[in-house]
Amino acid sequence: MTSARHNRADRHAVVLVGNPNVGKSSLFSALTGARQKIANFPGVTVEAKLGTTRFENTELSVIDLPGTYSLAARSPDERVAIDALLGRLEEVPAPDGVVLVLDASSLDRNLYLGTQVLEFGLPAVVALTMVDVALSRGIRVDTARLSQALGVPVVEVNVPQGRGVEELKSTIHRVLHHPGKALELPFPAEFRQAVDGLYGVLCDLSVDLGFKPTRPEAMRLLVDLGGPLHDEVRQAGGQAFDTKLAEFRARAADGRGLALVEANARYGQIAAWMREARQVSAPEGRTLTDRVDAVLTHKVWGSLVFVVVMGLVFQSIYAWAEPLMNAIEGAFGWLGGTVAGWLPEDAAMLRSLVEDGVIGGVGGVLVFLPQILFLFLFIAILEDLGYMSRAAFLMDRIMARFGLSGRSFIPLLSSFACAIPGVMGTRVIEDRNTRLTTVFLAPFMSCSARLPVYTLMIGAFVPKQTVLGFLGLQGLVLFAMYWVGVLAAIPTALVLKKGILRSRVTPFLMEMPSYKLPRPRNIARVLYERGGSFVKRAGTIILAVSIIVWAALWFPRSDDITRAHEQRREAARAGHAATLAAAAEAWRQGMTGPELEADPAVAAALADMRELEATDKAARDRDETEFGHDETALAEAQRAGRAAYESSLLELRRRHRGALSPAMQMLAAEQELEEGLAAIDNDEAAAHAENSWLGRAGHVIEPAVRPLGWDWRIGMAAIASFPAREVIVGTLGTIFSLGDVDEQDEGLRGALRNARDRDGSPLFTLATGLSVMVFFALCCQCAATLAVMRRETNSWKWPAASFFYMTTLAYLGALMTYQVAHALGG
Amino acid sequence: MAATLAQLKPGQSARVTDVRGDPVLQQRILEMGILPGTDIRLVRVAPLGDPMEFAVLGYNISLRKSEAECVCVETA
Amino acid sequence: MELAVVMVAVGIALAFVGWRVFATLRVARGAGCGGCGSCKPGPTAAGS
């Protein structure tokens, strides 16, 4: 890797450098039009982002670096900035110039980084942002004097109003054609000499190092302790280099800390410049941010607002998303039916692939889109406002008890909806070890995909009763399931943070940015991007996995099973015809079944009877939703409904006289046939499933899941759920002979209750149900989370560790739960 | 023992005299502009007593109590 | 005919998953991704 710059004349690259939260990302978007996440939180961008723009005939690549307060390179993360400036990053063009983004409202701190960057001597332009914010605080910056002091052009930029962007482009274009001049600050003589000496030593080692060192790097090496550059140089220069470095450090320090020498020189020079180039007209009063913060971080009000805000986030995710989710479910049901209608009647395999595999799989995942959008809507608004820093401020003390930082709180909270945004949200955590710990903990939070599993198991096996007079036992168990994950996460955090991921210090040191109004366009963009990538994933990798899982459950297809069930279907139809014939004979001697069906009097009675049944069912459903939470009221409503049904029936009997009896028999026979055929379909599906590759694999793993109180069917459903845990509901439904049923279906709950083990005892007991729930609470059954963990940690080590740790923990937890609950007689 | 930032009362201003503690933490505090001679004011303390928010050089920064204890100050 | 359609679908699915796995492993070793385009990689580094 060299820093050679052989970009052609019509093609240049510049790098954006600046503190976090100065509007760098918005400037990047304004320059390049590239879509990128912008948020009002320090450090939201971690990777370098690239975009291109044109000026006249020149193509300009723009590199956006993570916001940073300093070029000090104490860790590999921090070194990215220097490497990008020197063109040493792969896949990022070597910059021909720098755009230094400075916040006019806090210029001193911004210029600390600014002086470090200008020492590299690249052609540079200053983009001065937040000038309006500064003015509102009575701070006026003289750009001409600032430009003179720094030796580079200064352009005022206001991205929301679109001012200054074109001027910035033309200024960049202008400076790129002149060589830059390195800024020289009045460091103490001993310090300067030590940097020069160290620079000489580095240059001598440049062949072994494999790159040409620069003077600013020599300064970083001198001042920063334990940086990655030091490790590299030590490899090249050996023990002898360390001795020399110690000598240089001792000479330069002059009894004081080197960091202090550097900071004194920089801030001293900055203060001198500011006396010339800045006027502060009004004494600093209470800003709007201060007044808002007086409430939002207040002992009582702050905590109250915090609880309400978090409650709102949960409310929106669980409740507001519900109607949208139902609509999506309905849309996919309709789509499945429509598509199935297009396919030839006899193409059962293709229909199953489309309905169960493609639409079932992709639809099942897309149902979660509203939840994801609601979560990101809230996160985007809160980030844009600047509230996230306040949440971290409020929670830091509690998180610190577990060795975490306040910044870990928001990602972990998001993980209750979905671990994926949670893991991505850990980018705001500066300290690498704290960040890794938080990434590791995120999948322990009970995400929304676990909810269907809990609802199903609790509905089937936890009795509907109240404890302590007012608490519902079912709700209590659900609440407990959420705590299982949290309680497992706490010791994990302690072990990680006190053990392998111990940080020397976990500095909190967080800038509290001023509040800003959320930008609707930015929020819309975040939602569009997040929603888009989610839909895209569902349409690609999840679609592919769904098809593969479907194939594993379909093949090999046994014709014997199909034939046997076809015979049962024919028997059922014959039974129906016989019942019909008997009813015809009973009504009128010598009448046959088909004649009965054609009889107009009976047909009229049948139509009325169907209508009555439909009205009654609708009334029962309405009562269920309206009074479901109140058993006495529900019983009362059901009694009233029953009475209404009886009186309507009497009325019909009067109207149709004798024709009502055969009509009722026909209706009953029809329902019986329908139910019978559905049961045969399900039996067939179950038999095929057992015979499939996935089914056979289930038998192989059965000994392993026996101690958890499971049989092969539960084990198989659990294994099929490893790519995505919500798969278990559909899989259990198929396996327990009920086809595709959702968690609200009383039928699946009933089927689970009625399911028998091979010895005839009930397969599911309360102990089994609890063991399944604990397993799902602790297991990392989500391929997407593991993939995101890899991307965010840039290593397979973490997702692999997480997978094995959580699977082991889930197995042991389920084992313990089952054995204890079983012993207690559950 | 000299006074530290951690001992300030909300609203109280002081001048930094020294920054101590772990070298890496020291460097980070210095980079943020909290260095000898700078004026700094405690804005507020989080509800649980930690961390603390300070105003320095025209912006606000929050430090943990343990970090604030590394910064020695003199009050006017 | 029906079997052929299903086989092609499953084949494409397997190939896609295989490609993604391969691409992820390549990224893990520090190479560029398979190129889904969603992350907009820029021009390659000059001089590297």
Side-chain angles (χ1 to χ4, degrees):
Chain A
M1 287 188 291
T2 68
S3 61
R5 299 170 211 286
H6 47 224
N7 285 344
R8 297 202 311 274
D10 58 348
R11 204 190 160 108
H12 292 291
V14 288
V15 58
L16 296 184
V17 192
N19 283 184
N21 234 12
V22 295
K24 205 160 57 66
S25 296
S26 351
L27 179 60
F28 175 72
S29 299
L31 278 175
T32 63
R35 288 198 294 269
Q36 198 214 9
K37 199 176 168 234
I38 316 163
N40 187 19
F41 191 99
V44 84
T45 34
V46 163
E47 304 140 312
K49 306 255 161 137
L50 281 162
T52 52
T53 183
R54 295 200 67 82
F55 184 79
E56 287 164 8
N57 291 321
T58 316
E59 190 179 298
L60 190 65
S61 297
V62 184
I63 306 151
D64 185 21
L65 284 183
T68 176
Y69 294 106
S70 151
L71 286 184
R74 289 154 297 217
S75 70
D77 289 357
E78 290 176 322
R79 198 187 169 184
V80 171
I82 289 182
D83 281 344
L85 277 171
L86 293 173
R88 290 198 196 129
L89 290 181
E90 275 186 55
E91 301 189 34
V92 173
D96 306 288
V98 186
V99 177
L100 191 58
V101 189
L102 301 179
D103 177 346
S105 69
S106 51
L107 256 186
D108 305 71
R109 194 200 66 221
N110 276 257
L111 274 170
Y112 185 84
L113 172 73
T115 55
Q116 289 182 329
V117 171
L118 293 177
E119 279 169 359
F120 277 84
L122 282 169
V125 184
V126 166
L128 195 64
T129 60
M130 312 283 169
V131 176
D132 46 349
V133 177
L135 277 177
S136 73
R137 293 190 203 156
I139 301 167
R140 190 178 294 274
V141 179
D142 185 333
T143 48
R145 286 200 176 153
L146 183 62
S147 168
Q148 204 178 6
L150 299 177
V152 299
V154 176
V155 180
E156 283 189 20
V157 177
N158 187 327
V159 175
Q161 291 173 19
R163 279 195 292 112
V165 177
E166 282 309 308
E167 193 193 339
L168 181 65
K169 274 196 206 175
S170 68
T171 314
I172 293 170
H173 191 249
R174 193 157 36 96
V175 299
L176 287 184
H177 292 284
H178 303 284
K181 189 170 153 291
L183 181 75
E184 279 185 44
L185 288 188
F187 286 107
E190 306 84 31
F191 186 86
R192 233 178 7 223
Q193 284 155 12
V195 173
D196 287 335
L198 196 55
Y199 180 44
V201 173
L202 277 183
C203 287
D204 293 341
L205 286 169
S206 73
V207 177
D208 297 310
L209 282 172
F211 60 84
K212 193 173 162 295
T214 55
R215 193 172 179 278
E217 276 178 295
M219 195 193 295
R220 299 279 34 108
L221 187 58
L222 185 73
V223 179
D224 304 340
L225 298 178
L229 180 62
H230 189 174
D231 297 338
E232 279 176 38
V233 180
R234 194 182 303 149
Q235 273 189 357
Q239 198 59 48
F241 174 77
D242 268 7
T243 323
K244 268 188 235 165
L245 179 62
E247 263 172 47
F248 280 124
R249 280 183 176 162
R251 233 187 293 159
D254 189 24
R256 293 182 301 169
L258 278 167
L260 180 61
V261 175
E262 187 191 359
N264 261 336
R266 292 191 194 280
Y267 275 109
Q269 179 66 65
I270 291 164
W273 286 336
M274 286 301 104
R275 279 192 290 274
E276 292 288 310
R278 182 173 62 188
Q279 291 147 19
V280 181
S281 53
E284 274 185 55
R286 267 160 74 87
T287 60
L288 180 64
T289 294
D290 257 356
R291 283 197 297 266
V292 173
D293 262 346
V295 176
L296 289 190
T297 54
H298 184 267
K299 269 192 175 68
V300 180
W301 302 124
S303 312
L304 199 70
V305 169
F306 180 75
V307 169
V308 169
V309 166
M310 293 310 144
L312 200 68
V313 173
F314 264 91
Q315 167 72 14
S316 72
I317 288 164
Y318 282 130
W320 299 354
E322 190 72 31
L324 290 166
M325 292 171 80
N326 289 339
I328 294 177
E329 236 165 21
F332 271 95
W334 172 84
L335 189 67
T338 314
V339 175
W342 294 338
L343 294 170
E345 193 67 34
D346 57 340
M349 177 164 56
L350 202 55
R351 288 163 71 104
S352 172
L353 170 63
V354 172
E355 272 182 82
D356 307 333
V358 175
I359 293 175
V362 175
V365 174
L366 281 185
V367 162
F368 293 98
L369 180 63
Q371 288 194 330
I372 299 224
L373 288 182
F374 267 114
L375 181 74
F376 276 106
L377 176 71
F378 274 89
I379 290 181
I381 292 176
L382 292 179
E383 275 187 345
D384 249 20
L385 272 173
Y387 185 73
M388 289 305 201
S389 316
R390 274 75 188 177
F393 183 70
L394 288 172
M395 291 305 294
D396 183 64
R397 182 64 192 272
I398 295 173
M399 302 305 284
R401 288 230 178 103
F402 309 122
L404 295 170
S405 146
R407 296 181 200 202
S408 308
F409 179 74
I410 299 295
L412 290 180
L413 187 83
S414 321
S415 301
F416 277 108
C418 177
I420 294 166
V423 170
M424 297 199 300
T426 60
R427 288 181 183 185
V428 299
I429 304 167
E430 259 175 84
D431 177 67
R432 188 178 154 76
N433 284 355
T434 307
R435 187 177 165 204
L436 288 174
T437 309
T438 312
V439 166
F440 203 81
L441 296 182
F444 277 102
M445 306 298 122
S446 268
C447 68
S448 56
R450 283 169 173 113
L451 195 61
V453 186
Y454 296 159
T455 332
L456 175 67
M457 291 294 154
I458 290 174
F461 306 108
V462 177
K464 250 189 201 162
Q465 63 184 52
T466 45
V467 283
L468 301 174
F470 64 99
L471 290 169
L473 185 60
Q474 292 190 324
L476 220 56
V477 173
L478 182 64
F479 189 64
M481 292 322 297
Y482 277 86
W483 276 99
V484 167
V486 175
L487 290 179
I490 291 173
T492 308
L494 287 175
V495 167
L496 281 175
K497 282 300 290 180
K498 307 285 172 202
I500 48 175
L501 284 180
R502 197 199 318 248
S503 317
R504 203 153 39 137
V505 275
T506 14
F508 185 55
L509 248 108
M510 183 178 64
E511 186 190 349
M512 303 285 274
S514 29
Y515 287 105
K516 296 179 181 92
L517 274 182
R519 292 151 293 175
R521 274 176 62 184
N522 181 39
I523 288 166
R525 185 166 52 214
V526 169
L527 288 185
Y528 175 79
E529 275 174 25
R530 295 298 176 198
S533 77
F534 180 75
V535 170
K536 191 177 156 194
R537 222 184 59 229
T540 53
I541 194 79
I542 289 178
L543 173 64
V545 171
S546 298
I547 292 176
I548 293 167
V549 167
W550 171 86
L553 259 169
W554 182 273
F555 293 108
R557 205 73 177 162
S558 157
D559 286 340
D560 292 345
I561 294 175
T562 314
R563 228 174 322 192
H565 287 86
E566 199 46 56
Q567 280 164 8
R568 278 182 59 192
R569 276 192 202 96
E570 259 152 45
R573 285 195 201 100
H576 177 248
T579 315
L580 215 59
E585 184 67 30
W587 191 46
R588 241 174 245 165
Q589 286 236 311
M591 192 181 215
T592 62
E595 278 167 3
L596 178 69
E597 284 180 305
D599 188 286
V602 176
L606 190 60
D608 278 351
M609 204 51 221
R610 277 196 217 278
E611 198 187 324
L612 175 62
E613 291 286 343
T615 323
D616 183 55
K617 185 174 185 315
R620 269 184 287 139
D621 288 349
R622 202 176 47 238
D623 290 345
E624 183 72 38
T625 44
E626 210 165 311
F627 304 110
H629 55 277
D630 184 345
E631 277 178 50
T632 345
L634 182 63
E636 182 59 40
Q638 279 169 341
R639 245 197 311 281
R642 196 71 219 155
Y645 178 81
E646 297 290 351
S647 75
S648 305
L649 200 61
L650 271 176
E651 164 68 25
L652 285 188
R653 200 174 288 283
R654 262 197 299 278
R655 196 187 307 162
H656 296 290
R657 304 261 161 72
L660 193 68
S661 274
M664 282 173 80
Q665 282 168 327
M666 278 173 73
L667 199 62
E670 199 175 279
Q671 281 166 356
E672 197 188 329
L673 177 67
E674 266 170 29
E675 277 163 23
L677 287 180
I680 296 168
D681 284 349
N682 289 325
D683 282 351
E684 186 182 2
H688 278 307
E690 198 161 337
N691 184 50
S692 71
W693 289 323
L694 204 63
R696 291 177 198 186
H699 279 283
V700 172
I701 56 106
E702 185 161 17
V705 296
R706 263 290 156 194
L708 311 184
W710 305 359
D711 78 336
W712 75 267
R713 290 172 289 187
I714 309 173
M716 185 175 132
I719 286 179
S721 310
F722 266 89
R725 50 176 68 85
E726 58 270 35
V727 166
I728 194 173
V729 176
T731 316
L732 280 177
T734 317
I735 300 171
F736 287 97
S737 319
L738 270 149
D740 195 9
V741 279
D742 69 25
E743 67 275 11
Q744 290 302 322
D745 195 324
E746 182 59 35
L748 178 52
R749 281 182 225 161
L752 292 182
R753 281 193 214 110
N754 296 331
R756 289 285 176 270
D757 210 340
R758 285 200 196 92
D759 59 3
S761 62
L763 171 59
F764 273 100
T765 56
L766 179 61
T768 319
L770 288 174
S771 130
V772 169
M773 282 196 284
V774 168
F775 186 87
F776 274 75
L778 296 178
C779 200
C780 189
Q781 292 169 306
C782 182
T785 301
L786 293 172
V788 170
M789 279 172 97
R790 200 221 73 90
R791 205 184 75 197
E792 294 299 311
T793 60
N794 213 16
S795 147
W796 278 111
K797 201 174 74 185
W798 288 100
S802 172
F803 181 80
F804 286 114
Y805 176 70
M806 291 188 71
T807 307
T808 311
L809 205 63
Y811 187 87
L812 295 178
L815 179 70
M816 219 160 66
T817 308
Y818 178 73
Q819 297 299 344
V820 169
H822 191 65
L824 293 176
Chain B
M1 199 186 97
T4 71
L5 275 185
Q7 288 152 337
L8 294 182
K9 305 236 167 346
Q12 197 182 2
S13 293
R15 178 160 293 181
V16 178
T17 54
D18 195 11
V19 179
R20 304 176 175 186
D22 175 275
V24 172
L25 177 64
Q26 239 186 66
Q27 189 181 14
R28 301 206 36 172
I29 293 176
L30 291 167
E31 283 168 356
M32 299 303 280
I34 303 173
L35 67 166
T38 320
D39 291 324
I40 189 165
R41 176 171 56 90
L42 176 63
V43 179
R44 64 177 61 83
V45 178
L48 295 169
D50 192 12
M52 312 167 95
E53 182 180 346
F54 298 93
V56 63
L57 290 177
Y59 77 99
N60 286 16
I61 183 173
S62 75
L63 299 180
R64 285 208 179 122
K65 208 167 184 172
S66 58
E67 292 157 359
E69 277 163 1
C70 295
V71 182
C72 302
V73 291
E74 56 182 16
T75 48
Chain C
M1 175 58 201
E2 188 195 3
L3 190 66
V5 174
V6 172
M7 280 302 157
V8 168
V10 175
I12 292 174
L14 280 171
F16 183 80
V17 170
W19 172 57
R20 289 318 307 161
V21 168
F22 179 71
T24 325
L25 291 177
R26 264 168 52 87
V27 175
R29 288 202 307 271
C33 68
C36 68
S38 65
C39 56
K40 292 201 182 107
T44 44
S48 67

